[in-house]
Amino acid sequence: MIVIMKHNASAKNIADVISRIENDGYRAHLSEGEERTIIGVVGESPTPLRAENYSTMDGVDKVVRVSVPYKLASRVFHPNDTLVPLNGCQMGGDRILVIAGPCSVESREMIIETACAVKEAGATALRGGAFKPRTSPYSFQGHGEKALQWMAEAREVTGLPIVTEIMDPALVPMVTEYADVLQVGARNMQNFTLLNAVGESQHPVLLKRGMSSTVKDLLMAAEYILSHGNTRVMLCERGIRTFETATRNTADINAVPVLKQETHLPVVFDPSHATGKWEYVEAISKAAVAAGADGLIIEVHPKPEDAMSDGRQSLTFKRFEQLMQNVRRVAEAVNRSA
Ligand code: PEP
Ligand code: MN
């Protein structure tokens, strides 16, 4: 349920509604927009919520039942876009922000070299995996903390903030020491212990959609993080599994406008995992931006043919630079910049 206040509702009217919600055993979520204030009711309580008790209170315009199960993630609860600060910019703002870097951090030299190249081409943040979720236990699993230290060095050299995956709730203290953004990978989107841990950390999170998850599942996963008061959440569409085998996954472009309508959280698109082949990465990046994505996360490698993971979908520095130039033109066509 949400309580929509009148334009001229006083601070006391708002405080009275919040007290009533709390006395009924629920939590109040305040969203103060330019036009009006909306108070969301979240949580469970044995006391039934009676809309008529609230609609007659002073300053209340109307009370609306919300049928979606995600509340804090819903645009109904929070009509204004959430902006997540990243390197002096804001994910969710007018500028399309690009996060770029290798799938895995392979050495100190390669991450610093890649950071310099993607920064030069216009990236806002550096990605790179230190802990890798691999389908096979025999594949390269990442260099762990050493890789995080190399990324921190790359940040010192370039100023680019670090986006890196966390797989284990026990590693939150270690990974937050180095990372600016915690990535929750597709395979862990419904690891609820991890979602609670990154929520509690109050660190910015990039939450990737599970390859077999619905948009609703993604929003419910975001709700876990938001329920800890961590509002710096970015959602990431990275392709879903379908019967199609021509590409690694199927880029769900539909998810972009659906998410932009359903939630106030910024939407990032990952064309690398969505396609699995570097040849298609630029086309899908442009499609995502045209569809309304707020950001892109793209795999870039100094020598994709030698990569320890995801070389097939990784762009060379030169191809990434070209992509940035062409994405910029699409961004301008939809009244944004990149
Ligand atoms: C990655 O970003 O390298 C990764 C493993 O992504 P996903 O979780 O989307 O598969
Ligand atoms: Mn990868």
PDB file of all heavy atoms in Angstrom, residues 102-104 127 132-133 165 183-187 208-209 211 238 248 270 273 297 299 310 313, ligand 1:
ATOM      1  N   PRO A 102      38.725  -6.330 -18.360  1.00  0.00           N
ATOM      2  CA  PRO A 102      38.764  -7.755 -18.693  1.00  0.00           C
ATOM      3  C   PRO A 102      37.748  -8.567 -17.896  1.00  0.00           C
ATOM      4  O   PRO A 102      37.277  -8.125 -16.848  1.00  0.00           O
ATOM      5  CB  PRO A 102      40.183  -8.161 -18.297  1.00  0.00           C
ATOM      6  CG  PRO A 102      40.549  -7.213 -17.201  1.00  0.00           C
ATOM      7  CD  PRO A 102      39.865  -5.919 -17.531  1.00  0.00           C
ATOM      8  N   CYS A 103      37.457  -9.768 -18.400  1.00  0.00           N
ATOM      9  CA  CYS A 103      36.618 -10.691 -17.638  1.00  0.00           C
ATOM     10  C   CYS A 103      37.351 -11.000 -16.331  1.00  0.00           C
ATOM     11  O   CYS A 103      36.835 -10.748 -15.253  1.00  0.00           O
ATOM     12  CB  CYS A 103      36.392 -11.964 -18.459  1.00  0.00           C
ATOM     13  SG  CYS A 103      35.392 -13.180 -17.603  1.00  0.00           S
ATOM     14  N   SER A 104      38.603 -11.494 -16.450  1.00  0.00           N
ATOM     15  CA  SER A 104      39.412 -11.804 -15.265  1.00  0.00           C
ATOM     16  C   SER A 104      40.630 -10.890 -15.220  1.00  0.00           C
ATOM     17  O   SER A 104      41.207 -10.566 -16.268  1.00  0.00           O
ATOM     18  CB  SER A 104      39.971 -13.226 -15.350  1.00  0.00           C
ATOM     19  OG  SER A 104      38.962 -14.145 -15.607  1.00  0.00           O
ATOM     20  N   ARG A 127      36.163  -2.690 -14.823  1.00  0.00           N
ATOM     21  CA  ARG A 127      35.695  -3.980 -14.357  1.00  0.00           C
ATOM     22  C   ARG A 127      36.859  -4.984 -14.391  1.00  0.00           C
ATOM     23  O   ARG A 127      37.842  -4.776 -15.103  1.00  0.00           O
ATOM     24  CB  ARG A 127      34.508  -4.523 -15.165  1.00  0.00           C
ATOM     25  CG  ARG A 127      34.765  -4.825 -16.626  1.00  0.00           C
ATOM     26  CD  ARG A 127      33.892  -5.987 -17.143  1.00  0.00           C
ATOM     27  NE  ARG A 127      34.352  -7.255 -16.593  1.00  0.00           N
ATOM     28  CZ  ARG A 127      33.577  -8.285 -16.313  1.00  0.00           C
ATOM     29  NH1 ARG A 127      32.292  -8.221 -16.543  1.00  0.00           N
ATOM     30  NH2 ARG A 127      34.091  -9.402 -15.817  1.00  0.00           N
ATOM     31  N   LYS A 132      36.275 -15.713  -9.809  1.00  0.00           N
ATOM     32  CA  LYS A 132      35.486 -16.014 -10.999  1.00  0.00           C
ATOM     33  C   LYS A 132      34.545 -17.200 -10.807  1.00  0.00           C
ATOM     34  O   LYS A 132      34.984 -18.277 -10.394  1.00  0.00           O
ATOM     35  CB  LYS A 132      36.424 -16.351 -12.178  1.00  0.00           C
ATOM     36  CG  LYS A 132      37.282 -15.203 -12.666  1.00  0.00           C
ATOM     37  CD  LYS A 132      36.496 -13.973 -13.085  1.00  0.00           C
ATOM     38  CE  LYS A 132      35.470 -14.217 -14.172  1.00  0.00           C
ATOM     39  NZ  LYS A 132      34.680 -12.968 -14.447  1.00  0.00           N
ATOM     40  N   PRO A 133      33.276 -17.023 -11.127  1.00  0.00           N
ATOM     41  CA  PRO A 133      32.333 -18.143 -11.074  1.00  0.00           C
ATOM     42  C   PRO A 133      32.429 -18.931 -12.380  1.00  0.00           C
ATOM     43  O   PRO A 133      31.896 -18.501 -13.399  1.00  0.00           O
ATOM     44  CB  PRO A 133      30.984 -17.424 -10.975  1.00  0.00           C
ATOM     45  CG  PRO A 133      31.191 -16.115 -11.690  1.00  0.00           C
ATOM     46  CD  PRO A 133      32.651 -15.789 -11.626  1.00  0.00           C
ATOM     47  N   GLU A 165      33.417  -8.783  -8.938  1.00  0.00           N
ATOM     48  CA  GLU A 165      32.409  -9.727  -8.441  1.00  0.00           C
ATOM     49  C   GLU A 165      32.736 -10.264  -7.057  1.00  0.00           C
ATOM     50  O   GLU A 165      33.893 -10.561  -6.741  1.00  0.00           O
ATOM     51  CB  GLU A 165      32.268 -10.893  -9.433  1.00  0.00           C
ATOM     52  CG  GLU A 165      31.234 -11.913  -8.965  1.00  0.00           C
ATOM     53  CD  GLU A 165      30.666 -12.797 -10.058  1.00  0.00           C
ATOM     54  OE1 GLU A 165      30.999 -12.611 -11.244  1.00  0.00           O
ATOM     55  OE2 GLU A 165      29.855 -13.684  -9.703  1.00  0.00           O
ATOM     56  N   GLN A 183      29.931  -6.506  -7.564  1.00  0.00           N
ATOM     57  CA  GLN A 183      29.100  -7.134  -8.597  1.00  0.00           C
ATOM     58  C   GLN A 183      28.576  -8.456  -8.044  1.00  0.00           C
ATOM     59  O   GLN A 183      29.343  -9.279  -7.552  1.00  0.00           O
ATOM     60  CB  GLN A 183      29.963  -7.367  -9.842  1.00  0.00           C
ATOM     61  CG  GLN A 183      29.261  -8.134 -10.946  1.00  0.00           C
ATOM     62  CD  GLN A 183      30.133  -8.248 -12.198  1.00  0.00           C
ATOM     63  OE1 GLN A 183      30.888  -7.333 -12.539  1.00  0.00           O
ATOM     64  NE2 GLN A 183      30.047  -9.363 -12.875  1.00  0.00           N
ATOM     65  N   VAL A 184      27.251  -8.625  -8.125  1.00  0.00           N
ATOM     66  CA  VAL A 184      26.664  -9.932  -7.806  1.00  0.00           C
ATOM     67  C   VAL A 184      26.377 -10.568  -9.163  1.00  0.00           C
ATOM     68  O   VAL A 184      25.633 -10.011  -9.974  1.00  0.00           O
ATOM     69  CB  VAL A 184      25.384  -9.804  -6.956  1.00  0.00           C
ATOM     70  CG1 VAL A 184      24.714 -11.157  -6.785  1.00  0.00           C
ATOM     71  CG2 VAL A 184      25.719  -9.193  -5.595  1.00  0.00           C
ATOM     72  N   GLY A 185      26.995 -11.691  -9.434  1.00  0.00           N
ATOM     73  CA  GLY A 185      26.919 -12.301 -10.752  1.00  0.00           C
ATOM     74  C   GLY A 185      25.609 -13.027 -11.003  1.00  0.00           C
ATOM     75  O   GLY A 185      24.835 -13.305 -10.074  1.00  0.00           O
ATOM     76  N   ALA A 186      25.399 -13.333 -12.292  1.00  0.00           N
ATOM     77  CA  ALA A 186      24.158 -13.996 -12.714  1.00  0.00           C
ATOM     78  C   ALA A 186      23.901 -15.273 -11.909  1.00  0.00           C
ATOM     79  O   ALA A 186      22.772 -15.547 -11.493  1.00  0.00           O
ATOM     80  CB  ALA A 186      24.254 -14.319 -14.196  1.00  0.00           C
ATOM     81  N   ARG A 187      24.972 -16.030 -11.678  1.00  0.00           N
ATOM     82  CA  ARG A 187      24.804 -17.320 -10.981  1.00  0.00           C
ATOM     83  C   ARG A 187      24.455 -17.163  -9.514  1.00  0.00           C
ATOM     84  O   ARG A 187      24.052 -18.115  -8.862  1.00  0.00           O
ATOM     85  CB  ARG A 187      26.077 -18.158 -11.141  1.00  0.00           C
ATOM     86  CG  ARG A 187      26.238 -18.655 -12.569  1.00  0.00           C
ATOM     87  CD  ARG A 187      27.693 -18.948 -12.900  1.00  0.00           C
ATOM     88  NE  ARG A 187      27.841 -19.162 -14.336  1.00  0.00           N
ATOM     89  CZ  ARG A 187      27.934 -18.172 -15.232  1.00  0.00           C
ATOM     90  NH1 ARG A 187      27.911 -16.908 -14.865  1.00  0.00           N
ATOM     91  NH2 ARG A 187      28.045 -18.443 -16.519  1.00  0.00           N
ATOM     92  N   LYS A 208      23.455  -8.521 -11.287  1.00  0.00           N
ATOM     93  CA  LYS A 208      23.205  -9.063 -12.625  1.00  0.00           C
ATOM     94  C   LYS A 208      22.014 -10.016 -12.607  1.00  0.00           C
ATOM     95  O   LYS A 208      21.809 -10.748 -11.633  1.00  0.00           O
ATOM     96  CB  LYS A 208      24.466  -9.759 -13.139  1.00  0.00           C
ATOM     97  CG  LYS A 208      25.636  -8.769 -13.284  1.00  0.00           C
ATOM     98  CD  LYS A 208      26.827  -9.378 -13.981  1.00  0.00           C
ATOM     99  CE  LYS A 208      26.806  -9.094 -15.461  1.00  0.00           C
ATOM    100  NZ  LYS A 208      28.033  -9.573 -16.143  1.00  0.00           N
ATOM    101  N   ARG A 209      21.273  -9.991 -13.689  1.00  0.00           N
ATOM    102  CA  ARG A 209      20.105 -10.867 -13.796  1.00  0.00           C
ATOM    103  C   ARG A 209      20.553 -12.310 -14.034  1.00  0.00           C
ATOM    104  O   ARG A 209      21.426 -12.558 -14.880  1.00  0.00           O
ATOM    105  CB  ARG A 209      19.249 -10.394 -14.974  1.00  0.00           C
ATOM    106  CG  ARG A 209      18.041 -11.263 -15.238  1.00  0.00           C
ATOM    107  CD  ARG A 209      17.261 -10.709 -16.420  1.00  0.00           C
ATOM    108  NE  ARG A 209      16.140 -11.536 -16.781  1.00  0.00           N
ATOM    109  CZ  ARG A 209      15.378 -11.314 -17.845  1.00  0.00           C
ATOM    110  NH1 ARG A 209      15.637 -10.285 -18.637  1.00  0.00           N
ATOM    111  NH2 ARG A 209      14.372 -12.099 -18.116  1.00  0.00           N
ATOM    112  N   MET A 211      20.594 -16.000 -15.500  1.00  0.00           N
ATOM    113  CA  MET A 211      20.357 -16.360 -16.908  1.00  0.00           C
ATOM    114  C   MET A 211      18.999 -17.029 -17.130  1.00  0.00           C
ATOM    115  O   MET A 211      18.491 -17.052 -18.240  1.00  0.00           O
ATOM    116  CB  MET A 211      21.495 -17.233 -17.428  1.00  0.00           C
ATOM    117  CG  MET A 211      21.682 -18.517 -16.680  1.00  0.00           C
ATOM    118  SD  MET A 211      23.209 -19.322 -17.171  1.00  0.00           S
ATOM    119  CE  MET A 211      24.404 -18.540 -16.112  1.00  0.00           C
ATOM    120  N   ARG A 238      22.087  -9.128 -18.701  1.00  0.00           N
ATOM    121  CA  ARG A 238      23.279  -9.735 -19.319  1.00  0.00           C
ATOM    122  C   ARG A 238      22.928 -10.897 -20.238  1.00  0.00           C
ATOM    123  O   ARG A 238      23.755 -11.739 -20.529  1.00  0.00           O
ATOM    124  CB  ARG A 238      24.293 -10.147 -18.248  1.00  0.00           C
ATOM    125  CG  ARG A 238      23.736 -10.848 -17.068  1.00  0.00           C
ATOM    126  CD  ARG A 238      23.411 -12.305 -17.276  1.00  0.00           C
ATOM    127  NE  ARG A 238      24.611 -13.105 -17.356  1.00  0.00           N
ATOM    128  CZ  ARG A 238      24.700 -14.256 -17.996  1.00  0.00           C
ATOM    129  NH1 ARG A 238      23.622 -14.756 -18.611  1.00  0.00           N
ATOM    130  NH2 ARG A 238      25.810 -14.952 -18.021  1.00  0.00           N
ATOM    131  N   ARG A 248      25.806 -16.809 -27.319  1.00  0.00           N
ATOM    132  CA  ARG A 248      25.968 -17.463 -26.008  1.00  0.00           C
ATOM    133  C   ARG A 248      24.687 -17.360 -25.174  1.00  0.00           C
ATOM    134  O   ARG A 248      24.265 -18.297 -24.512  1.00  0.00           O
ATOM    135  CB  ARG A 248      27.131 -16.785 -25.275  1.00  0.00           C
ATOM    136  CG  ARG A 248      27.417 -17.336 -23.903  1.00  0.00           C
ATOM    137  CD  ARG A 248      28.634 -16.649 -23.287  1.00  0.00           C
ATOM    138  NE  ARG A 248      28.906 -17.156 -21.970  1.00  0.00           N
ATOM    139  CZ  ARG A 248      29.867 -16.704 -21.169  1.00  0.00           C
ATOM    140  NH1 ARG A 248      30.652 -15.714 -21.573  1.00  0.00           N
ATOM    141  NH2 ARG A 248      30.047 -17.222 -19.977  1.00  0.00           N
ATOM    142  N   ASP A 270      24.855  -5.504 -20.332  1.00  0.00           N
ATOM    143  CA  ASP A 270      26.119  -6.211 -20.586  1.00  0.00           C
ATOM    144  C   ASP A 270      26.015  -6.925 -21.933  1.00  0.00           C
ATOM    145  O   ASP A 270      25.483  -8.033 -22.023  1.00  0.00           O
ATOM    146  CB  ASP A 270      26.356  -7.215 -19.447  1.00  0.00           C
ATOM    147  CG  ASP A 270      27.598  -8.094 -19.679  1.00  0.00           C
ATOM    148  OD1 ASP A 270      28.104  -8.144 -20.810  1.00  0.00           O
ATOM    149  OD2 ASP A 270      28.037  -8.741 -18.706  1.00  0.00           O
ATOM    150  N   HIS A 273      28.383 -10.616 -22.297  1.00  0.00           N
ATOM    151  CA  HIS A 273      27.813 -11.917 -21.914  1.00  0.00           C
ATOM    152  C   HIS A 273      26.503 -12.186 -22.653  1.00  0.00           C
ATOM    153  O   HIS A 273      26.138 -13.336 -22.879  1.00  0.00           O
ATOM    154  CB  HIS A 273      27.626 -12.000 -20.396  1.00  0.00           C
ATOM    155  CG  HIS A 273      28.941 -12.022 -19.672  1.00  0.00           C
ATOM    156  ND1 HIS A 273      29.599 -10.866 -19.324  1.00  0.00           N
ATOM    157  CD2 HIS A 273      29.747 -13.046 -19.290  1.00  0.00           C
ATOM    158  CE1 HIS A 273      30.753 -11.190 -18.742  1.00  0.00           C
ATOM    159  NE2 HIS A 273      30.864 -12.497 -18.713  1.00  0.00           N
ATOM    160  N   ILE A 297      28.299  -2.419 -19.472  1.00  0.00           N
ATOM    161  CA  ILE A 297      29.492  -3.059 -18.895  1.00  0.00           C
ATOM    162  C   ILE A 297      30.044  -3.982 -19.972  1.00  0.00           C
ATOM    163  O   ILE A 297      29.320  -4.852 -20.487  1.00  0.00           O
ATOM    164  CB  ILE A 297      29.210  -3.761 -17.543  1.00  0.00           C
ATOM    165  CG1 ILE A 297      30.491  -4.429 -17.010  1.00  0.00           C
ATOM    166  CG2 ILE A 297      28.036  -4.719 -17.588  1.00  0.00           C
ATOM    167  CD1 ILE A 297      30.418  -4.813 -15.532  1.00  0.00           C
ATOM    168  N   GLU A 299      33.409  -6.203 -21.790  1.00  0.00           N
ATOM    169  CA  GLU A 299      34.701  -6.868 -21.592  1.00  0.00           C
ATOM    170  C   GLU A 299      35.711  -6.440 -22.662  1.00  0.00           C
ATOM    171  O   GLU A 299      35.433  -6.512 -23.869  1.00  0.00           O
ATOM    172  CB  GLU A 299      34.512  -8.391 -21.578  1.00  0.00           C
ATOM    173  CG  GLU A 299      33.816  -8.801 -20.274  1.00  0.00           C
ATOM    174  CD  GLU A 299      33.705 -10.287 -20.020  1.00  0.00           C
ATOM    175  OE1 GLU A 299      33.817 -11.091 -20.967  1.00  0.00           O
ATOM    176  OE2 GLU A 299      33.478 -10.648 -18.840  1.00  0.00           O
ATOM    177  N   ASP A 310      36.621 -15.806 -21.270  1.00  0.00           N
ATOM    178  CA  ASP A 310      35.769 -14.973 -22.123  1.00  0.00           C
ATOM    179  C   ASP A 310      36.496 -14.169 -23.211  1.00  0.00           C
ATOM    180  O   ASP A 310      36.047 -13.075 -23.585  1.00  0.00           O
ATOM    181  CB  ASP A 310      34.892 -14.040 -21.266  1.00  0.00           C
ATOM    182  CG  ASP A 310      33.791 -14.820 -20.540  1.00  0.00           C
ATOM    183  OD1 ASP A 310      33.580 -16.011 -20.871  1.00  0.00           O
ATOM    184  OD2 ASP A 310      33.126 -14.241 -19.659  1.00  0.00           O
ATOM    185  N   GLN A 313      34.463 -13.097 -26.439  1.00  0.00           N
ATOM    186  CA  GLN A 313      33.530 -11.959 -26.435  1.00  0.00           C
ATOM    187  C   GLN A 313      34.231 -10.642 -26.063  1.00  0.00           C
ATOM    188  O   GLN A 313      33.572  -9.606 -25.927  1.00  0.00           O
ATOM    189  CB  GLN A 313      32.380 -12.214 -25.455  1.00  0.00           C
ATOM    190  CG  GLN A 313      32.811 -12.278 -23.989  1.00  0.00           C
ATOM    191  CD  GLN A 313      31.781 -12.931 -23.087  1.00  0.00           C
ATOM    192  OE1 GLN A 313      31.054 -13.826 -23.504  1.00  0.00           O
ATOM    193  NE2 GLN A 313      31.683 -12.475 -21.855  1.00  0.00           N
TER     194      GLN A 313
HETATM  195  C1  PEP B   1      31.337 -11.572 -15.625  1.00  0.00           C
HETATM  196  O1  PEP B   1      30.926 -10.412 -15.520  1.00  0.00           O
HETATM  197  O2  PEP B   1      32.479 -11.885 -16.034  1.00  0.00           O
HETATM  198  C2  PEP B   1      30.388 -12.672 -15.344  1.00  0.00           C
HETATM  199  C3  PEP B   1      30.805 -13.850 -14.894  1.00  0.00           C
HETATM  200  O3  PEP B   1      29.127 -12.320 -15.642  1.00  0.00           O
HETATM  201  P1  PEP B   1      27.729 -13.111 -15.413  1.00  0.00           P
HETATM  202  O4  PEP B   1      27.592 -13.248 -13.929  1.00  0.00           O
HETATM  203  O5  PEP B   1      26.721 -12.177 -16.020  1.00  0.00           O
HETATM  204  O6  PEP B   1      27.831 -14.420 -16.143  1.00  0.00           O
END
